[in-house]
Amino acid sequence: MWDDAFPSFLIGLREGLEAGLIVSILVATLVRAGARSRLPQVWTGVLAAIALALSFGAVLTFTAASLSATAQEAFGGALSVIAVAFVTAMVFWMRRSAPSLSGEIKDRVTGALGMGAGVLVATSFLAVGREGLETALFLWTTAQAAGESVGPLTGAAIGLVLSAALCWGLYRRVLRINLTKFFTATGAVLIVIAAGVLGYGLRDLQEGGVLAGKTSYAVDLSGSVDAGAWYSTLVQGVLNLTPTMTWLQVLGYGGYLAVVMTLFVRGARAAAPKRVPAGVPPRAGTGIADSAKATDAGEVTLPAAQPAQASRRRPAWLVPVTVVTVPALIAGAAIVFGRPKPAAAETVAVSEKDCGKGFSAPKPGRQTFQMHNTGDKTSEVYLVDPATNAVYGEVEGLAPGTTRALVATVAGGSYAWRCVPSSGPAVTSKAVRVSGEGATQAVVPVSEQDLSGPLQQYRSYVDKGLATLAGQTRTLAADIKGKHLGKARADWLTAHLTYSSLGAAYGTFEDFDQKINGRADGLPGGVHDKDFAGFHRVEYGLWHGESAASLTAPAQQLATEVAGLRKAFPHQDFDPSDLPLRAHEILENTLQFELTGDTDEGSGTNLATSDANLAGTRELLTVLRPLLTTRAPHLLPTVDADAARLQTLLDAARHGGTWTPVTRLGATVRAQVDGATGQLLEDLSPVPDLLEIRKSA
């Protein structure tokens, strides 16, 4: 979490110290002037500034959440660029103003004392409000970049608390800080962080369609850099540098860093004041007046609090309550009225005879349709492009007499409803034309004919694998019968990995899978149960010191079951829809059983099995690639990069013919393997929907 917290910690520390110094100088000046009765006016202004900053953050958060995904990207990118501009201006202003800050604030307070209470409230409000708004904006953009808010909020809170402690120490004269050096050092670090925020913002603007070039990559290290490693996470969290960056990101990052850092460093050198000799009073214009003392240039010690003249305190709850309530009410109104009003849901009738009754041309944008089944049969309902049969939205299993919502994004194009009852032909409504620009993503349906070619290729792959497996299990049985248990352990692993690479056919193997690769879980006697058989039964015996005599029968039974499967497989039904499902499910089993060590019966080869599962998944994606490429061209490059990353991690656990047991992996490496598998699973999750077989008219 620290990698996400550090940028916000730094901005919280800087902005908090900047605002805290101003408040401290205001308070010290009033106390020294004997005007303690005016302190509530300062705190009222500070409270109003805090309320304004919190309200601004709420408006950013909740209005952005109501936008579409594309609009959120554009909104976030624009605010990131604005935040960079504010932070850059703040860095240069503070570097320039640190030496004279005390004198400037004292002059403002002295002038305000002769005027009404509202002027002093406004002075503190304006002094603190700018820092509060900058903090809220920068914190929001860093949270967007991090993808979570806990780290950035934690970092900002720590920075603000630390800045408050420093300001208290300055006020009580227990600390002395060289502000010029402090703001120069932190300014340089913030410029580097701001360059990353700018790069992130430019990428968001590309994703939101505001800027072009989102697929023009200047850097793509996703296949060679472990994005889950601690160093990658740290670099991405602090600097917003990612393994994949577009040309615009790189140019924006490098250009901003080169120009701004050069100007900042030159300005810091030019403005570096000389040390004031001891005993020589500061010159006019240094900003160090009698309300604050100076030692080194830029070093400020606030005056000690002086006893104030007695004054009668008057209750003033109305003003503080008002300055908090008004920004909150304005923010609430902005959130409520800033959200796009949902269009009234259109009710569309569905039946096996009349599909789409009540459907009229919708307006472009995100729409909700209430699908009401007026027929006698359960139906599936699709919103389609009648020219291409591409599907924009669907509702499955809509029972008679029931109503369910279908949400879809509508753009310019042609739309129709297709109702597919549980029995009988599909019915398609009359098409309507929606005018407007833009496009919305649709899924081109897949038929059984489309999957017949990939299915045939995969069946051929499995058939060859079973032929190989039959020979390997016969060799294993012969090893054990001949009492060559050392050789049997190596041959067991070879055979088991062959079987584990046929993952997409598990659902087709019927009862053979339990007999060949069943686990002891759920059996009354566990590993000693008489029904425990197959690879894991032989594994347990080979790695727990059982004799060759006791393992001969289980090994021979395994070879017999494999031979039976090989003979039966050509005649077994293989549902074409299983292919897209298995693209995701093979690695689900890997994550659930192999990477937890649940199936380890002593060999410690769970990672080898995971490697075989990955090989099986890749083989499956090979046969599905033509269908996926036309439907989701950007999916496979991402999946390939994820698979390569996982492969690299698994290869590191292989040492010749042995594998590191999953339980002996270091915590960091194990987390990387789990994370890489989980990321690959997430990226594979759209495959079943993309290649779902849908009935057409």
Side-chain angles (χ1 to χ4, degrees), residues 475-476 479-480 482-494 541-543 546 548 551 657:
T475 300
L476 173 62
D479 291 339
I480 294 176
K483 301 182 180 180
H484 306 300
L485 298 186
K487 186 173 183 299
R489 293 187 185 95
D491 289 338
W492 174 90
L493 180 58
T494 300
L542 286 173
W543 274 272
E546 288 191 25
L551 287 173

Side-chain angles (χ1 to χ4, degrees), residues 32-115:
R32 187 173 180 83
R36 283 184 179 269
S37 61
R38 307 291 294 271
L39 288 178
Q41 299 165 13
V42 174
W43 298 122
T44 298
V46 172
L47 191 63
I50 294 173
L52 178 65
L54 293 175
S55 300
F56 180 57
V59 170
L60 289 178
T61 300
F62 294 108
T63 55
S66 67
L67 299 174
S68 66
T70 302
Q72 284 187 40
E73 298 284 1
F75 181 69
L79 288 185
S80 294
V81 175
I82 294 173
V84 170
F86 281 167
V87 170
T88 305
M90 176 267 294
V91 165
F92 280 90
W93 179 83
M94 210 50 209
R95 186 209 65 203
R96 181 177 62 254
S97 303
S100 59
L101 180 64
S102 177
E104 291 178 5
I105 296 300
K106 187 209 173 202
D107 291 342
R108 294 183 192 177
V109 177
T110 302
L113 284 174
M115 304 178 71

Side-chain angles (χ1 to χ4, degrees), residues 362-442:
K363 295 181 179 179
R366 192 169 178 83
Q367 305 289 335
T368 300
F369 302 95
Q370 295 296 337
M371 313 307 300
H372 178 62
N373 191 339
T374 59
D376 300 325
K377 299 177 181 178
T378 299
S379 295
E380 295 182 358
V381 186
Y382 305 111
L383 180 61
V384 302
D385 180 344
T388 64
N389 289 325
V391 177
Y392 296 102
E394 64 182 297
V395 171
E396 296 182 348
L398 184 63
T402 61
T403 302
R404 285 165 57 188
L406 185 152
V407 180
T409 300
V410 176
S414 182
Y415 296 84
W417 291 104
R418 178 163 295 147
C419 304
V420 184
S422 54
S423 61
V427 180
T428 303
S429 72
K430 182 180 178 181
V432 299
R433 184 74 186 177
V434 176
S435 58
E437 298 180 353
T440 184
Q441 186 175 8

